[in-house]
Amino acid sequence: MDAIRIRGTRKLEGRIQVSGAKNAALPILCATLLSDGESLLRNVPGLRDIETTAALLRFLGREVTVGIPQVRVHAGHRNGLAEAPYELVRQMRASVLVLGPLVARFGRAKVSLPGGCQIGARPVDQHLLGLEALGAKITVEHGYILAEAARLRGAEVVFDMPTVTGTENLMMAAALAKGRSTFVNCAREPEVEELGRVLNKMGARVEGAGTSVIHVDGVDELAPFDHTIIADRIEAGTFLAAVGATGGNVLVQGCPFDDLEPVIAKLRKANLEIEREGKDVRVSREKPLRGVDVTTAPHPGFPTDMQAQFMALMACAEGRSVLTETIFENRFMHVPELLRMGADIEIHSNTAIVGGVEMLSGASVMATDLRASASLVIAGLVADGETIVRRVYHLDRGYQAIEKKLALVGADIERINIADED
Ligand code: EPZ
């Protein structure tokens, strides 16, 4: 079992390259189901979730060639079962993103219910209610969603809450529906806007992606596409937080500054210096870290996917910080591990009160979910002594060779293999 060994307290200096956005690549890969022919995706990150999605598309009859940073998807000569099995969906909840394309294109989709994960129950009721509004007949039995529709038809759908993959699933379904759809209270994440760009490249008529109201005029057919994926704002934000924690001076190459406004505002309040340099962003910290309060919110609020990393940063800040998680009900799995490293954190319901400490101490810790793993890596970078982060397969889902990228800017970090006793 892979683990990552870190010896802390080294400053980070140099250049670090941001990869393509995982949460843009996943829906865009699923959008290839909407057309025949061969689509080409560029700047795709080398992640486990990309491989999982490729396996799912192959199961669905597509020919997928993964040559990171490129992925080619060809319609293949047979349309496999329009079915996403539990064995694949349980590895990655985002597999639910094949539901909209399959029912829109083939009139039928059978997708395993994603089930929950470490950070929450993760229901998909909004996806199903939206597809029903578009005319799909939905039945849920034996852990599977069955969606059927001779032809989806445009409708108005108001989401109960902004849902990223819910918005994406319905945009893709509506693209081939008959007539106009209007979606209200949509997720406004940059990855939703990016999917809208790709659908329009395919010949769809999507307007407003990235805002809370999206209109889609359905068309009869869509074409394959060639698209370069946007940079990963959460990977980039993770690097900004890492430099903030260790101190130093790093040029984060390809860092999407505009997509990170809410994060950069909080990092600057914590005494990081963050400045654009063309398409890159320079981050440094000379002054002592200052405690800053954060409440997560849908974009353009502070992203929940940066909460764990920001907490690791706050663990050694001067003064108290209060972190409130409003999106997921159990996204503090990193806290018990940070406490093992000497952090001072109290949890009260969905709020964590972090009292900054002088120094964390290295320890053997366990990753539980993707962003919690990143939080533990940041903590290891500043801790005194050696930290071993176990179960780093969680990390590999969303970070391409993070230990190599951090080693290039001076971190004492390496991937090791250890027997995973438990
Ligand atoms: C996406 O998940 C991201 N994943 C998550 O990133 C991210 O944390 C999340 O959006 C929030 O930004 C991908 O894009 C692949 P939601 P998603 O639907 O779409 C509730 C990472 O670390 N909800 O926006 O599953 C839900 O419980 C991952 O890269 C319903 O109640 O999240 C949550 O409280 C983790 N019913 C809130 O909405 C629904 O039908 C937002 O969830 C759908 C969602």
Side-chain angles (χ1 to χ4, degrees):
M1 185 79 69
D2 279 1
I4 283 184
R5 173 169 53 205
I6 308 165
R7 294 186 184 89
T9 74
R10 295 176 64 161
K11 285 185 185 300
L12 300 182
E13 310 273 352
R15 294 164 172 260
I16 205 163
Q17 178 63 51
V18 178
S19 298
K22 167 176 87 81
N23 289 349
L26 299 181
I28 291 169
L29 280 167
C30 296
T32 62
L33 292 165
L34 291 165
S35 80
D36 273 337
E38 179 170 277
S39 289
L40 174 60
L41 289 76
R42 304 171 193 267
N43 195 36
V44 180
L47 306 171
R48 243 161 42 94
D49 278 8
I50 299 297
E51 292 296 344
T52 304
T53 308
L56 177 56
L57 291 176
R58 290 186 189 109
F59 189 88
L60 294 168
R62 302 278 142 161
E63 291 165 12
V64 184
T65 312
V66 179
I68 296 303
Q70 292 192 354
V71 175
R72 287 179 188 283
V73 182
H74 193 285
H77 304 296
R78 63 179 182 83
N79 283 313
L81 281 173
E83 180 172 331
Y86 176 65
E87 295 68 42
L88 284 170
V89 176
R90 72 184 175 82
Q91 293 175 46
M92 183 188 69
R93 299 188 60 268
S95 307
V96 73
L97 284 168
V98 301
L99 185 62
L102 288 175
V103 68
R105 180 92 193 286
F106 303 110
R108 183 186 182 281
K110 186 178 177 190
V111 177
S112 165
L113 269 170
C117 71
Q118 292 279 17
I119 64 177
R122 312 292 294 275
V124 289
D125 56 299
Q126 302 293 304
H127 301 235
L128 304 185
L129 289 169
L131 287 173
E132 273 181 337
L134 293 180
K137 178 175 173 295
I138 303 279
T139 47
V140 178
E141 55 189 22
H142 308 302
Y144 276 81
I145 303 160
L146 181 60
E148 293 169 302
R151 170 87 191 261
L152 294 176
R153 61 181 189 283
E156 167 145 331
V157 176
V158 182
F159 290 106
D160 292 346
M161 79 293 291
T163 155
V164 174
T165 49
T167 303
E168 291 166 345
N169 235 336
L170 291 176
M171 277 167 64
M172 291 190 281
L176 284 178
K178 186 166 181 53
R180 164 166 274 220
S181 295
T182 297
F183 300 115
V184 180
N185 197 18
C186 297
R188 295 184 272 170
E189 273 68 6
E191 295 77 25
V192 174
E193 186 174 4
E194 174 79 338
L195 177 62
R197 274 191 284 272
V198 169
L199 289 172
N200 285 339
K201 262 190 184 178
M202 298 175 75
R205 291 162 56 197
V206 177
E207 55 184 81
T211 74
S212 61
V213 178
I214 298 175
H215 298 290
V216 181
D217 289 315
V219 295
D220 295 334
E221 195 174 354
L222 292 170
F225 59 87
D226 178 336
H227 188 75
T228 301
I229 307 276
I230 54 171
D232 192 315
R233 62 192 166 99
I234 303 300
E235 184 199 22
T238 303
F239 294 138
L240 297 178
V243 178
T246 62
N249 188 313
V250 169
L251 186 69
V252 183
Q253 295 173 295
C255 177
F257 190 101
D258 296 332
D259 292 345
L260 274 169
E261 293 273 22
V263 175
I264 289 171
K266 290 293 182 180
L267 292 173
R268 281 172 164 168
K269 273 187 77 174
N271 276 340
L272 278 70
E273 288 86 41
I274 300 176
E275 297 307 329
R276 288 178 199 268
E277 283 190 13
K279 291 189 179 332
D280 308 327
V281 171
R282 183 165 297 281
V283 55
S284 61
R285 179 174 65 77
E286 305 299 332
K287 291 180 274 186
L289 262 182
R290 192 165 54 192
V292 174
D293 295 348
V294 157
T295 298
T296 64
H299 195 78
F302 189 97
T304 174
D305 290 351
M306 276 297 302
Q307 178 258 109
Q309 300 91 306
F310 198 83
M311 190 183 293
L313 177 67
M314 292 291 99
C316 292
E318 283 184 2
R320 197 181 75 155
S321 55
V322 179
L323 279 67
T324 304
E325 174 56 61
T326 67
I327 306 294
F328 292 116
E329 60 269 31
N330 187 35
R331 205 167 196 177
F332 286 147
M333 303 290 283
H334 42 290
V335 173
E337 302 305 303
L338 291 173
L339 291 174
R340 286 172 42 73
M341 298 178 72
D344 166 15
I345 306 169
E346 271 180 41
I347 294 180
H348 301 275
S349 173
N350 66 333
T351 294
I353 300 171
V354 184
V357 295
E358 273 298 304
M359 175 65 80
L360 294 177
S361 59
S364 180
V365 289
M366 186 85 76
T368 52
D369 60 87
L370 169 53
R371 305 305 172 182
S373 320
S375 168
L376 298 176
V377 169
I378 291 174
L381 291 172
V382 296
D384 179 37
E386 182 176 277
T387 296
I388 305 278
V389 182
R390 304 146 66 95
R391 296 192 180 172
V392 286
Y393 55 83
H394 292 291
L395 201 58
D396 295 338
R397 290 193 54 182
Y399 291 91
Q400 179 173 336
I402 191 169
E403 77 281 2
K404 293 196 177 84
K405 291 188 178 184
L406 289 170
L408 280 176
V409 288
D412 182 347
I413 182 171
E414 61 181 336
R415 187 176 287 256
I416 58 173
N417 192 290
I418 56 170
D420 193 40
E421 302 83 47
D422 44 10

